[in-house]
């Protein structure tokens, strides 16, 4: 059997202004810090269970070092290494716990140029008593500070490379399923929403020939429980003097959204709720036409143009 990916794990982010990023993610978004080691800060939402879903460190500019994905079984890590190398993709072993909380990993580049790391073993650090939830099935107290999202949801990637190679790689090598996609009249896929879970997307990939570098990150997304949480988030962002896009509703994914940008790294964060889950084993990908792009982006709310969608991406290595 082929090895399998279980879920999106974490994003390794570099910031040009670490202090601003920490204030944004910890105080405004409301993530909890589990550890700080060698200048890297490790954060997670109150409903995240593993060591972290976001790491942030200081750099000369804002960019993403890599994106981590957890496999379904321990042996899947080595299984993916063998599968990748059999298909001509260099895959490097990363020593266990070199990233705090993350066991042995395999690092490689997908055809779009983005770097992925696959791992299975994780640590789940204990929570200080004053921060711990009384619920045994929840990590931290909810609503303790800031927007307070429950968990990491997905990433949205952009590339100037031939995206058809990446879609094929994601489906045939990594096991992602195409859930919805946008195509032009020639049948070329311009954007695809793919998942390994029941979510509409764990990752989206958008073809953007005009991007300044090959591999870009458009946004990372954290999940809020309902629409009222999105409205509450808008108030919190406004009280902290942040500009944002939304609230609105996407047609593609049917999710309620709000976009805000970290002033330290330039990383855009989507606060996300609603959407739908896919349980059908014979799900047929939903085909959106290029003429429907604007409608697909915004069902109602702020009108997001194609130009607005591509701005504020940051480099992803």
């Amino acid at each position: 059997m082929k090895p399998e990916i279980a879920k999106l794990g974490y994003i390794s982010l570099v910031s040009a202004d670490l202090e601003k990023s920490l204030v944004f993610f910890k105080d405004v978004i409301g993530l909890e810090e589990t550890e700080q080691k060698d200048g890297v800060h490790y954060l997670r939402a109150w409903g995240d269970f593993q060591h972290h879903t976001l790491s942030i460190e200081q750099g000369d500019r804002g960019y993403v070092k890599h994106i981590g994905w957890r496999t379904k079984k321990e042996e899947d890590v080595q299984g993916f290494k063998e599968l990748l190398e059999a298909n001509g993709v260099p895959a490097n072993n990363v020593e266990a716990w070199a990233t705090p909380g993350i066991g042995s990993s395999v690092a490689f580049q997908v055809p779009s140029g983005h770097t992925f790391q696959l791992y299975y073993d994780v640590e789940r650090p204990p929570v200080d008593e004053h921060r711990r939830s009384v619920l045994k099935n929840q990590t931290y107290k909810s609503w303790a500070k800031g927007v307070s999202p429950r968990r990491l949801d997905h990433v949205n990637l952009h590339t100037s490379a031939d995206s058809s190679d990446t879609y094929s790689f994601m489906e045939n090598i990594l096991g992602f399923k195409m859930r919805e996609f946008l195509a032009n009249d020639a049948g070329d896929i311009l954007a695809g929403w793919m998942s390994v879970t029941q979510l509409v997307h764990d990752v989206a990939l958008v073809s953007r020939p005009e991007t300044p570098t090959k591999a870009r990150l458009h946004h990372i997304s954290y999940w809020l429980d309902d629409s009222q949480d999105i409205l509450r988030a808008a108030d919190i962002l406004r009280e902290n003097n942040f500009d944002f896009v939304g609230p609105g509703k996407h047609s593609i994914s049917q999710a309620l959204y709000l976009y805000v940008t970290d002033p330290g790294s330039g990383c855009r964060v989507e606060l996300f709720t609603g959407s739908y889950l896919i349980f059908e084993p014979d799900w047929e990908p939903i085909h959106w036409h290029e003429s429907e792009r604007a409608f697909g982006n915004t069902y109602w709310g702020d009108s997001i143009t194609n130009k607005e969608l591509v701005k504020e991406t940051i480099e992803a290595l």
Side-chain angles (χ1 to χ4, degrees), residues 49-107:
F49 293 98
Q50 70 175 47
H51 182 272
H52 65 278
T53 51
L54 179 69
S55 67
I56 314 174
E57 61 191 276
Q58 180 67 49
D60 61 349
R61 68 192 192 285
Y63 64 95
V64 172
K65 293 173 68 176
H66 63 268
I67 299 166
W69 301 86
R70 193 175 185 204
T71 62
K72 286 193 173 182
K73 295 177 291 186
E74 183 177 11
E75 56 266 32
D76 286 343
V77 177
Q78 183 62 30
F80 270 116
K81 186 175 191 297
E82 295 171 0
L83 180 60
L84 289 162
E85 291 177 342
N87 283 272
V89 180
N92 300 316
N93 289 321
V94 179
E95 184 180 353
W97 321 119
T99 297
I102 303 297
S104 299
S105 305
V106 170

Side-chain angles (χ1 to χ4, degrees), residues 6-292:
K7 62 185 283 284
L8 173 63
Y10 69 94
I11 293 91
S12 177
L13 179 65
V14 178
S15 175
D17 192 323
L18 179 60
E19 183 176 352
K20 284 184 178 179
S21 290
L22 291 175
V23 169
F24 173 76
F25 281 107
K26 293 171 63 176
D27 298 340
V28 180
I29 299 301
L31 302 184
E32 302 281 354
E33 184 167 331
T34 57
E35 187 173 351
Q36 187 273 330
K37 184 177 181 181
D38 299 328
V40 185
H41 296 256
Y42 297 92
L43 312 176
R44 60 182 176 181
W46 58 259
D48 285 325
F49 293 98
Q50 70 175 47
H51 182 272
H52 65 278
T53 51
L54 179 69
S55 67
I56 314 174
E57 61 191 276
Q58 180 67 49
D60 61 349
R61 68 192 192 285
Y63 64 95
V64 172
K65 293 173 68 176
H66 63 268
I67 299 166
W69 301 86
R70 193 175 185 204
T71 62
K72 286 193 173 182
K73 295 177 291 186
E74 183 177 11
E75 56 266 32
D76 286 343
V77 177
Q78 183 62 30
F80 270 116
K81 186 175 191 297
E82 295 171 0
L83 180 60
L84 289 162
E85 291 177 342
N87 283 272
V89 180
N92 300 316
N93 289 321
V94 179
E95 184 180 353
W97 321 119
T99 297
I102 303 297
S104 299
S105 305
V106 170
F108 60 96
Q109 279 197 349
V110 298
S112 61
H114 298 88
T115 299
F116 285 3
Q117 286 195 15
L118 304 179
Y119 63 94
Y120 176 78
D121 290 323
V122 297
E123 291 180 344
R124 298 178 177 87
V127 178
D128 291 338
E129 184 63 33
H130 74 288
R131 301 295 300 118
R132 185 186 307 153
S133 173
V134 298
L135 295 170
K136 293 184 177 181
N137 52 10
Q138 182 172 306
T139 311
Y140 297 90
K141 295 176 181 177
S142 55
W143 310 116
K145 58 177 180 174
V147 172
S148 195
R150 178 183 287 267
R151 59 171 174 81
L152 180 65
D153 192 85
H154 66 265
V155 290
N156 183 299
L157 309 177
H158 286 199
T159 184
S160 59
D162 183 352
S163 57
S164 61
D165 292 338
T166 304
Y167 293 127
S168 177
F169 181 90
M170 297 283 281
E171 290 184 285
N172 298 322
I173 305 299
L174 299 184
F176 284 82
K177 296 179 181 179
M178 185 70 76
R179 303 304 197 177
E180 302 197 42
F181 67 95
L182 175 77
N184 60 22
D185 291 340
D188 301 319
I189 298 179
L190 306 177
W193 287 258
M194 297 167 284
S195 69
V196 289
T197 66
Q198 275 68 49
L199 299 178
V200 175
H201 62 313
D202 298 302
V203 60
L205 179 70
V206 180
S207 177
R208 287 292 182 189
E210 66 271 32
T211 56
T213 55
K214 178 182 177 182
R216 309 292 295 184
L217 174 88
H218 184 263
H219 67 259
I220 66 175
S221 178
Y222 276 90
W223 171 268
L224 299 174
D225 282 354
D226 58 37
S227 58
Q228 185 59 45
D229 295 343
I230 296 291
L231 300 180
R232 176 180 174 274
D235 280 344
I236 290 170
L237 294 173
R238 177 47 60 206
E239 289 285 359
N240 285 275
N241 201 32
F242 279 92
D243 293 327
F244 52 86
V245 174
K249 181 173 180 175
H250 296 307
S251 295
I252 297 171
S253 83
Q254 298 186 30
L256 300 183
Y257 67 84
L258 186 156
Y259 294 109
V260 61
T261 299
D262 165 30
S265 67
C267 176
R268 188 196 311 249
V269 175
E270 182 182 33
L271 302 173
F272 186 88
T273 194
S275 194
Y276 62 94
L277 299 175
I278 298 172
F279 297 104
E280 306 305 318
D282 57 350
W283 178 265
E284 292 293 330
I286 305 299
H287 180 179
W288 295 80
H289 298 276
E290 189 172 12
S291 61
E292 300 170 311

